[in-house]
Amino acid sequence: MKVNAWNEWDPLRHIIVGRADGTVVQAAEPAVYRDWPQDGFPQGTWGPLPDDMVARANEQLDNFAESLRRRGVTVDRPQPLDFSQPVATPEWTQDSQFGCMPVRDVLITVGNEILEATMSYRSRWFEYLCYRPLLESYFHADQDMRWEAAPKPRLTDASFRAGFWPEYESLPDDEKLDRVRRNELLLTEAEPLFDAADVARFGKDLFVQLSLVTNQSGVRWLRQHFPSHRVHPVTFGNTHPLHIDATWVPLRPGLVLHCSERPADPEMLQYFKINDWEVVPAAPPQKTYETLPPLCFCSPWLSINVLSIDERTVCVEASETRQMELLDRLGFEVLPVPFWDVAPFGGGLNCATVDVYREGTCEDYFPKRHGRF
Ligand code: ABU
């Protein structure tokens, strides 16, 4: 058993797949509030997702795990906590936790290291505990594994812009996008904050999206932590940026799939172009915001939240036919995986997983510099 992964497409041998058990619609906190009156959770209420939704999501997660095992991939699963318990530090109390479906948000493997992200929701402060039994076993099995945890954040009110949500939601989209580009969003710079799912791994280059859960201090911490990498902060034309993995999706050396509704920074596009990368606009998703499952806080662009088995084989949500056709035309073997019932638990196929071992080494796919890149 070894830990190793440098990018999103090398041959996959070992992975963690999340679980839906006990997932909670979080109680309000500075970073997040939920308001789903039509689905039984009006603003100010919280509680476990309905049992029938949990059962359907777990069935899809179990089937996905089994299909990976059939392809020879070792699959591990986390240990859910009682997420309905309140959490507290000496500085705050939060009435509920969240869940352990989206593993990708919490952990990232870079080379022989697994890094626990800071996270930026109080309800997710203890989520790392769900993965600790696995991390302990990897640490003991692989003498070369580096096990790291980013500084645990305080998440006091000083980490959040007071009154952010009502003010931000009242802005027109062009002003929101301006704030996204300047990264004047929810998080202050009081402390480093990042979710692991805001990082896309391209060998020596790590692209880190500044978002509602990742601040500039978080990127600075990552840059200091990975001194042999080039760590690039990036933004896209997305009014509610939350994780890079339904926006900028590397599929193989020289090919990245891009959510066409969320334009990339021209300097970043040029960096890819001069290094001979093709940026392919993703096909329109089959779902719309109106047809997303209940209690879903992600977007229809989970259609491109794919998992690569290797640089020729990719798992795609089974009803996303336009995306599958596009990937087929690009030369991939496409493995359809039913997964929309999992979305309310925190995402798609990429969100639900963390690769522990992919064959391969650290390569430099961007030998030419451009601008700030
Ligand atoms: N990791 C979830 C991404 C969701 C979205 O961009 O719509």
Side-chain angles (χ1 to χ4, degrees), residues 222-280:
L222 284 163
R223 186 176 279 142
Q224 290 172 338
H225 185 70
F226 292 118
S228 305
H229 283 74
R230 292 184 290 260
V231 176
H232 312 282
V234 294
T235 61
F236 299 89
N238 177 4
T239 53
H240 291 78
L242 177 74
H243 305 151
I244 197 167
D245 57 353
T247 298
W248 194 254
V249 180
L251 294 172
R252 66 182 177 223
L255 183 68
V256 64
L257 192 61
H258 179 206
C259 166
S260 32
E261 250 177 30
R262 301 170 177 171
D265 165 0
E267 204 164 75
M268 179 183 186
L269 284 174
Q270 190 61 14
Y271 184 53
F272 276 73
K273 189 169 171 205
I274 63 167
N275 283 291
D276 298 324
W277 281 74
E278 189 185 355
V279 176
V280 176

Side-chain angles (χ1 to χ4, degrees), residues 242-243 245-247 262 298-299 301-302 305 351:
L242 177 74
H243 305 151
D245 57 353
T247 298
R262 301 170 177 171
C298 297
S299 77
W301 288 101
L302 287 184
N305 190 254
C351 307

Side-chain angles (χ1 to χ4, degrees), residues 20-22 49-63 341-342 345:
D21 311 63
L49 273 83
D51 287 346
D52 59 325
M53 287 180 67
V54 175
R56 285 201 305 273
N58 269 337
E59 191 181 338
Q60 293 196 336
L61 285 156
D62 292 348
N63 287 341
D341 287 338
V342 178
F345 297 80

Side-chain angles (χ1 to χ4, degrees), residues 293-315:
L295 306 175
C296 187
F297 54 87
C298 297
S299 77
W301 288 101
L302 287 184
S303 58
I304 60 168
N305 190 254
V306 300
L307 178 77
S308 294
I309 304 283
D310 57 43
E311 61 182 60
R312 288 172 302 281
T313 318
V314 62
C315 299

Side-chain angles (χ1 to χ4, degrees), residues 205-230:
D205 287 63
L206 301 175
F207 296 87
V208 188
Q209 179 181 237
L210 295 166
S211 73
L212 290 160
V213 291
T214 297
N215 65 9
Q216 296 175 62
S217 301
V219 178
R220 176 183 148 203
W221 187 89
L222 284 163
R223 186 176 279 142
Q224 290 172 338
H225 185 70
F226 292 118
S228 305
H229 283 74
R230 292 184 290 260

